[in-house]
Amino acid sequence: MVEWITTDGLTGYNEAVSFMEARAESIAAGTEDELIWLVEHPPLYTAGTSAKPQDLTDPERFPVYTSKRGGQYTYHGPGQRVAYVMLDVGKRGHDVRRFVQDLETWVITALAEFNITGEIREGRVGVWVERPEKPRLPDGSVAEDKIAAIGIRLRRWVSFHGISINVDPDLQHFSGIVPCGIQDHGVTSLVDLGLPVTMDDLDNALRRTFDNAITPRS
């Protein structure tokens, strides 16, 4: 059984990490259920385990937190839905790569409910959307913007951290970092794409698509 919790308002980052670590331990011990926790954070940057110092271009802009999740620099802030996934990967085949692919599938399937085609790209973390209305890149390829980020950590085969999807954050806030180390592409959101989607709309889509996207327990 997977429990769902939605926390209103803005949740502090350290508070979130402490909660996730404790819950992951309880899940591993078998004393609490798995959990999807939906939150928003105040404006902040996090540095994953692969973060490069030069990618933090405006270190004084917002608080910066060192995170033990995978990935590089990421922005969190109001208008962005963060879905923290505390799930037993051991009961899902002990396959971390497949689990991450399942998370990507979950995001892509939820976005499809709003007629958005989310895609993944080799060598680029996260979920991307093509922007044919923008100028093409120097190599002639179609411009692409990132709409969702993914970064997890495992402890005793239980995941924590998770995904973030841009509903309507201030996209200028991403300019203080090189998001996930990618310089050649931009960042977008559901509202930036012209869709009047609310946080509740996205939450409902995430709930509807979760069971079919995340690999059932074996």
Side-chain angles (χ1 to χ4, degrees):
M1 178 179 178
V2 178
E3 180 183 2
W4 289 70
I5 296 175
T6 302
T7 299
D8 295 329
L10 301 179
T11 301
Y13 188 74
N14 285 336
E15 174 188 347
V17 172
S18 295
F19 177 89
M20 285 190 288
E21 289 180 342
R23 184 62 175 250
E25 287 292 337
S26 296
I27 293 168
T31 58
E32 290 194 84
D33 290 329
E34 297 174 298
L35 174 66
I36 304 295
W37 185 25
L38 304 178
V39 305
E40 288 179 84
H41 288 304
L44 58 91
Y45 298 129
T46 67
T49 55
S50 301
K52 301 174 183 177
Q54 64 269 26
D55 287 345
L56 179 62
T57 59
D58 191 354
E60 304 301 322
R61 190 169 190 179
F62 298 125
V64 181
Y65 296 89
T66 299
S67 173
K68 295 180 181 179
R69 61 159 175 80
Q72 302 187 43
Y73 277 104
T74 299
Y75 167 77
H76 294 313
Q80 181 191 75
R81 173 54 83 210
V82 177
Y84 287 130
V85 293
M86 285 148 274
L87 299 172
D88 190 334
V89 180
K91 292 182 178 179
R92 290 176 168 79
H94 289 90
D95 189 333
V96 178
R97 178 172 293 183
R98 181 176 179 181
F99 180 69
V100 172
Q101 290 173 342
D102 286 347
L103 293 178
E104 292 170 338
T105 298
W106 182 30
V107 173
I108 289 169
T109 307
L111 292 175
E113 297 225 337
F114 307 106
N115 295 316
I116 293 176
T117 301
E119 300 178 311
I120 58 174
R121 293 289 183 263
E122 187 71 28
R124 280 196 262 138
V125 180
V127 177
W128 301 78
V129 293
E130 292 189 344
R131 304 300 301 272
E133 74 279 11
K134 290 188 173 184
R136 287 183 172 264
L137 299 178
D139 64 1
S141 60
V142 175
E144 296 178 333
D145 287 342
K146 189 171 190 175
I147 195 167
I150 297 174
I152 64 166
R153 187 182 180 198
L154 296 184
R155 179 175 293 170
R156 296 174 62 191
W157 284 104
V158 175
S159 68
F160 54 109
H161 296 282
I163 66 176
S164 59
I165 303 175
N166 298 329
V167 178
D168 189 22
D170 186 337
L171 296 179
Q172 288 300 314
H173 288 178
F174 286 87
S175 63
I177 58 172
V178 178
C180 299
I182 306 297
Q183 297 188 8
D184 298 333
H185 302 276
V187 180
T188 191
S189 68
L190 290 162
V191 172
D192 182 54
L193 292 171
L195 299 169
V197 176
T198 68
M199 198 69 73
D200 286 343
D201 293 333
L202 177 62
D203 290 349
N204 290 333
L206 289 170
R207 282 178 175 265
R208 284 192 298 267
T209 56
F210 176 79
D211 287 336
N212 287 333
I214 303 297
T215 304
R217 298 183 186 190
S218 57

